[in-house]
Amino acid sequence: MGMEPSLEEIFGSYMPYKVTDDTWVISFMNGTEYMYLLEGSEKALLIDTGYGVGNLKAFVESLTDKPVLVVNTHFHPDHSAGNGEFEEVMVAAGWEIDAPSVNMPGQIPFDISKLPYPNYKKVIIGEGDVIDLGNRKIKVMEVKPAHCNSSLFFYDVEQGMIFVGDEVEAAQVNMFDNSCNPEAPYDVRDRLNCMRENCERIKALKPRYIFPNHNGTPIASSYLDDFIGLVDSVFAGTAKIEDKLNHKYIEMDPKAPTLCRVRFGKCSIFIKKDLLMTVYGK
């Protein structure tokens, strides 16, 4: 019998591959989660920083010789716990609302206070900002609060690539409050409508590639229609509701008994059932 893998191996074993000559997918968590490294002629952009294992910066520097800028798609522990490996990270203005999900004890299996820059500089970015990598410019898009309060989309107009964090994916989007912040605003109708608006906005861009951060990448643009249809079918009272979650990690969440999975087409969401039923068919 082989030894069980260590937490460092589970959370910090990265498998890189190129989807284009200047775009890396950095796969981890047994291939179910991704960070991205976009190279331009002058700089590179790292999208997300993983769990804070402490070995990401050196790994990224083994892939590119360009100076690396860093952004977060959103401020959740599996996307921003590694920020302290870098001196400066670009984040959304809403990062503080979701910060307890990273900073509360017990959220991350590593001591991120021991990273090289525990007090790294946060640079707030938002709608209309452009991240200039030289011959490659990445537009920043603000995202209406759906999965969380701190999401940004990153759009490479020329290559038709949009990086969407956890707001759209092939398996399921978590639509219950996951900020660990009792003060965080959450209205179920607003969240669903925001998801719909975010998907409509991506759809209008007609991107060639949609890059989520979990469960398969890139994904077909038809997922956008399915998420739009899911929201409409919730309000119409026709969406399929399942009490069995069929997801071993979500089933370990203390909130699991209160959640349900809602399906439409190829997509699904996890959401608190009692809140869902206040808008279902209404």
Side-chain angles (χ1 to χ4, degrees), residues 17 24-28 31-36 47-48 73-74 79 153 161-173 202 209-220 223-224 227:
Y17 62 93
W24 291 94
V25 177
I26 300 170
S27 159
F28 66 116
T32 64
E33 186 165 358
Y34 321 104
M35 297 172 275
Y36 296 96
I47 300 178
D48 285 346
T73 58
H74 59 298
H79 302 266
F153 294 155
M161 296 178 170
I162 189 161
F163 299 84
V164 297
D166 287 2
E167 298 291 343
V168 179
E169 60 164 275
Q172 67 278 312
V173 171
I202 300 168
Y209 302 96
I210 299 171
F211 292 108
N213 280 50
H214 296 272
N215 301 314
T217 189
I219 60 170
Y223 280 99
L224 299 170
F227 278 110

Side-chain angles (χ1 to χ4, degrees), residues 94-163:
W95 76 271
E96 285 179 287
I97 302 174
D98 293 328
S101 74
V102 178
N103 300 333
M104 261 180 58
Q107 291 300 113
I108 301 162
F110 308 102
D111 183 356
I112 58 173
S113 71
K114 291 193 162 63
L115 292 175
Y117 305 102
N119 301 309
Y120 65 92
K121 182 182 178 187
K122 295 177 185 73
V123 178
I124 305 299
I125 56 171
E127 186 70 31
D129 286 332
V130 175
I131 301 167
D132 189 347
L133 306 180
N135 62 340
R136 189 175 189 184
K137 293 174 175 54
I138 311 299
K139 282 177 73 168
V140 180
M141 296 168 58
E142 272 174 18
V143 178
K144 297 199 165 193
H147 168 70
C148 70
N149 311 283
S150 54
S151 284
L152 295 168
F153 294 155
F154 301 101
Y155 183 37
D156 180 336
V157 181
E158 200 163 296
Q159 299 200 38
M161 296 178 170
I162 189 161
F163 299 84

Side-chain angles (χ1 to χ4, degrees), residues 7 11 29 51 176 245-259 270:
L7 286 176
F11 290 93
M29 294 296 289
Y51 270 100
F176 55 91
L245 302 179
N246 288 310
H247 190 297
K248 68 177 179 181
Y249 295 115
I250 298 292
E251 284 161 7
M252 288 158 62
D253 191 298
K255 296 189 192 82
T258 68
L259 302 177
F270 288 134

